[in-house]
Amino acid sequence: MIMRNVVLIALCAISLAVSGQVVTLDSCRNMALRNNKEIQQATLAIDKAGYQRKEAAAAYLPQFDLTAGYIYNSRKVSLIKEDQLLPTKSFNLQTGTYDFNLVIDPRTGAPLQLENGQYVPSTVALLPKSGMTYNIHNLMGGALTVTQPIYMGGKITAMNQITDLAQQLAREMRESKVEDVIYNVDAAYWQVVSLCAKQKLARSYVGLVQKLDDDVKVMVNEGVATLANQLAVDVKLNEANVDMTKVDNGVTLSRMLLAQLCGLPVNTMMTLADENRDDLGLTLAPTNFDLNQVYAKRHDVRSLELATKIYDQQVKVARSEMMPKLAAVAALHATNPNSYNGFENRFGAAFSVGATLRVPLWHWGGLSNKVKAAQVDANVKRLELDDAKEKIALQISQAAFSYQEAYKTYEATKANLAQADENLRIAGIAFKEGMGTVDEVLGAQTAWLKANSEKIDAEINVQLTYEFLAKVMGSMNY
């Protein structure tokens, strides 16, 4: 909650600061790039890809693991169920071997043999059950293991390539987001400039009609004009005032949209650096292009190329499942009771060194089909790349034609505006000299308004079509 309040206070402070100064197009772009949530998400995606790349690089290094455990057993464990009597042997000097100590039957002089065929030992060794019973109430153990991959079928190398390409892909996707945001901000910026120009035009038109209305009223009072003439001018004046209100509302809404794109409160009323310019000084930019250079600049094409490389590496990852895997293993392990020294109740430790080898033999075609599926995905991505390049070539041609057409329209509107200015001047002079009618003046004023409006629209359209052409050619300057 506190963090949210801090953010709101910061936004309000920024809004007040922005409201009090003239904002350029670059300032709007920078604010949008700083505050856009999609760009922030794309930046975090780059960070995530960087962590995944480091994770993949760690697979080259030995892995250390510590395992520990504890078990409580309710009973002791005994290796024998009762005391055991073990026969003994004595050394025989005559044979040089050890012979069992057996009871000799005095009647026969041979070892005494029972009915079941067993001989009777003359001496025995007592193995008590208590000596073979161990306290395992508290059983503890642990191991420190080290595993070093030696050969994993190329999987580790492929995964490192994938994560490196994925980080580059995340950067390209962020740049695509940046271009989209900048294009949207530019469109909103020039929309405000266009509406501000139309706002000035509407006020000038209202002033023209208002002056004509005043002149007609004087002429009606002097009897040189009719009431119908005054009513016609009044209707035009009312229409002009309604149109001016619509333009005022449009300017307010367009400013709110621009503020929202810049990450500011929507009620921030920014003064734009270009909104008071009478002419943007447009010149026709070159529209020739080299497709190979365009492909090299377009972030979406580079993203598809990186994605294709990632899918190629995925094929190697799938193929690694069919390859042998070799790793070296070392471990230091300890147990309590000590299993290395009579299960005494103390820790006993030892170490071991070895290697593991896993060789896939037969999986009923499962692994090979997995490789084939990965190859299909890679081929699909290549087709997507080729299709995108074909569409981009058409898109650039259309954008270039649209820009050239917009500029020709702009040149035509400038000529039309000069003619409309002259017609309005002549109509005004003729009306003052009594040679023209009110309808002629109103017609000239309407034509003047239309010519100015068309010139403004054409000028902004040139700017926007040029921005779009630069965008599709991958040559936006920001």
Side-chain angles (χ1 to χ4, degrees), residues 358-389:
R358 177 177 176 269
V359 181
L361 296 178
W362 184 253
H363 291 263
W364 303 100
L367 298 180
S368 60
N369 287 321
K370 184 177 181 180
V371 174
K372 293 176 182 177
Q375 290 173 338
V376 170
D377 289 337
N379 291 333
V380 169
K381 194 58 63 175
R382 287 190 181 87
L383 291 175
E384 290 182 9
L385 176 60
D386 293 339
D387 184 59
K389 287 183 177 180

Side-chain angles (χ1 to χ4, degrees), residues 33-53:
L33 295 179
R34 284 196 303 268
N35 299 321
N36 186 267
K37 298 299 186 295
E38 291 185 356
I39 293 179
Q40 293 173 7
Q41 293 174 18
T43 302
L44 292 177
I46 296 175
D47 296 339
K48 178 182 177 181
Y51 297 138
Q52 291 174 336
R53 182 177 60 81

Side-chain angles (χ1 to χ4, degrees), residues 248-376:
D248 290 340
N249 293 336
V251 170
T252 301
L253 292 175
S254 63
R255 289 186 190 277
M256 294 174 68
L257 174 61
L258 179 60
Q260 188 270 330
L261 291 174
C262 292
L264 301 174
V266 294
N267 58 352
T268 305
M269 293 293 106
M270 297 182 289
T271 301
L272 306 186
D274 295 296
E275 68 179 53
N276 293 319
R277 292 176 60 180
D278 295 329
D279 190 272
L280 298 181
L282 300 176
T283 57
L284 183 62
T287 58
N288 56 319
F289 57 90
D290 183 352
L291 275 178
N292 291 326
Q293 293 181 358
V294 171
Y295 294 152
K297 294 178 181 178
R298 287 278 297 246
H299 298 292
D300 51 353
V301 174
R302 293 211 294 261
S303 296
L304 285 172
E305 290 174 345
L306 290 170
T308 301
K309 294 179 181 179
I310 288 175
Y311 276 91
D312 288 338
Q313 295 298 323
Q314 291 285 8
V315 174
K316 295 182 181 179
V317 172
R319 188 177 290 117
S320 69
E321 298 297 327
M322 305 174 62
M323 307 297 288
K325 295 176 176 60
L326 178 64
V329 181
L332 174 64
H333 35 80
T335 61
N336 185 352
N338 186 354
S339 59
Y340 307 106
N341 192 23
F343 290 94
E344 62 179 338
N345 289 324
R346 59 182 299 178
F347 279 99
F351 73 90
S352 58
V353 179
T356 62
L357 176 65
R358 177 177 176 269
V359 181
L361 296 178
W362 184 253
H363 291 263
W364 303 100
L367 298 180
S368 60
N369 287 321
K370 184 177 181 180
V371 174
K372 293 176 182 177
Q375 290 173 338
V376 170

Side-chain angles (χ1 to χ4, degrees), residues 427-439:
I429 294 174
F431 181 73
K432 290 181 180 179
E433 298 294 334
M435 302 295 293
T437 64
V438 172
D439 291 337

